[in-house]
Amino acid sequence: MAIEGVRPGMGRYEELRAGFNLAVTHRPAAIVEAGSADDVAGAVAAAVRESRPVGVMNTGHGPSLPADDAVLIRTGRLSRVDVDPIRRTARVEAGVRWRAVIAAAARHGLAPLNGTSPDVGAVGYTLGGGVGLLARRYGFAADHVRWMDVVNADGRLRRVDAGHDADLFWALRGAGGNFGVVTAMEIDLFPVATLYGGELCFGPEAGEDALHAYVAWAQTVPETMASSVLLLRYPDDPAVPPRLRGRHVTHVRLAYSDADPAAGEELAGRLRAVGPRLVDTVRPMPYADVGTIHHEPTATPVAAFDRNVLLGELDDDAVDVLAKLAGPDSGAPFLAELRAWGGALSRPPAVPNAVAGRDAAFSLLAIAGPDAAHRVARDQVLDAMAPWSTGGSYPNFSGVEDATAESAGRRFGPDDLARLRRLKDRYDPDGTFRVTFPL
Ligand SMILES: Cc1cc2nc3c(=O)[nH]c(=O)nc-3n(C[C@H](O)[C@H](O)[C@H](O)COP(=O)(O)OP(=O)(O)OC[C@H]3O[C@@H](n4cnc5c(N)ncnc54)[C@H](O)[C@@H]3O)c2cc1C
């Protein structure tokens, strides 16, 4: 029986093959909008019969390889979220974005381990690790998954957890979509109802001081403080507010999650002391407003070429290098985000998983547009940080240029990568799930 799906030339094909990040163009043989786990199992089985690869897209925020000639499963209709406030868990289907989990959990004074943008898909984010605004306090999102329902290459739906198919459960949490299509997962929720957070934006005259102050500060604050700094020059465009237009801005983003905002205010005050801010939105807020802290634009699709390195402790020399290549006077044609890791991210999870990077103190993510020269400049700053690199990189901040087996050696340690490759041979011997970052 032929695959029932939207084929090239049919209505909605163009709409369904495009996601948020336009860095790759997908030309699938068929697109299946799954409304149930059975739909997913049927699509996988049909793809295997036709010897086609299977790709998965929820939001299209994290593309890797083009899903050409593949069966592309769109998961947006798998949109249920069920919160159990007593057990402090949420059952989350494959097409759910964090926004829905945040809202459902907040009704009970609880919070998930979402990332900075509520528009990112919860399952895709968790499969890659998941470093969000509660991560230094509680760990990776992947550290707090109770079970996953997954359709493997044999077309069977399995529930995997610490006691059933434990190898597969280990691999799924960290190695993304290499092993099957996850149709639902159960995750832990945490008793966080409020944050003291927002951003402090420093103009070009204070940018380098703010960067030095931020890096020193971030290495001393408690695990209840999440933070990052974004280095970005705004376009000289009338649509940009005048105080930011055409200027390089150093955005320090904070999220303090202890219930008492006074301690957060004291910590933020140390950064406010750097000097006047162009924008200062740091305030007490309900956790449900967490997306306002980074306020990433996700309404309009873009072609974003992401790359990252994981870094250890940073000294003044490291900050000087970063400021030279991405700071106010650099003319950098890309944006760079330095994010503080450490805390619970450094500790092993209760149920082991394939997530790497537990030795990192910071991630440095740099994002360029399609222009080749801009991508070269982006790589220069990442390469220049080599003296402080752990040698690792983070799957969720990887981009389409990292979709190579060679770069898998930076996403996983050698022993874990060898184990992942053995499991890939066992669960997906024909490479059905190859439209993803390879192992
Ligand atoms: C604005 C923005 C902010 C972000 N912030 C953070 C952050 O704070 N922390 C962080 O860790 N990451 C962050 N990310 C990265 C994000 O977590 C990854 O890009 C993630 O892969 C997105 O998942 P998605 O489902 O939304 O995207 P999609 O592009 O739909 O999926 C990405 C990939 O995930 C896999 N996948 C998705 N769903 C399934 C499934 N059901 N079964 C099997 N495989 C699946 C597939 O390989 C797919 O190609 C951010 C990205 C953006 C664009």
Side-chain angles (χ1 to χ4, degrees), residues 307 334 374-384 401:
R307 276 205 144 147
F334 55 83
H374 296 180
R375 290 195 262 160
V376 168
R378 173 207 58 190
D379 288 349
Q380 275 165 356
V381 69
L382 298 174
D383 292 346
E401 294 143 289

Side-chain angles (χ1 to χ4, degrees), residues 73-94:
I73 299 178
R74 296 287 323 236
T75 58
R77 287 187 182 162
L78 290 163
S79 57
R80 258 192 93 102
V81 178
D82 296 291
V83 168
D84 182 336
I86 307 296
R87 294 171 63 238
R88 291 184 175 168
T89 59
R91 176 186 176 277
V92 178
E93 290 190 341

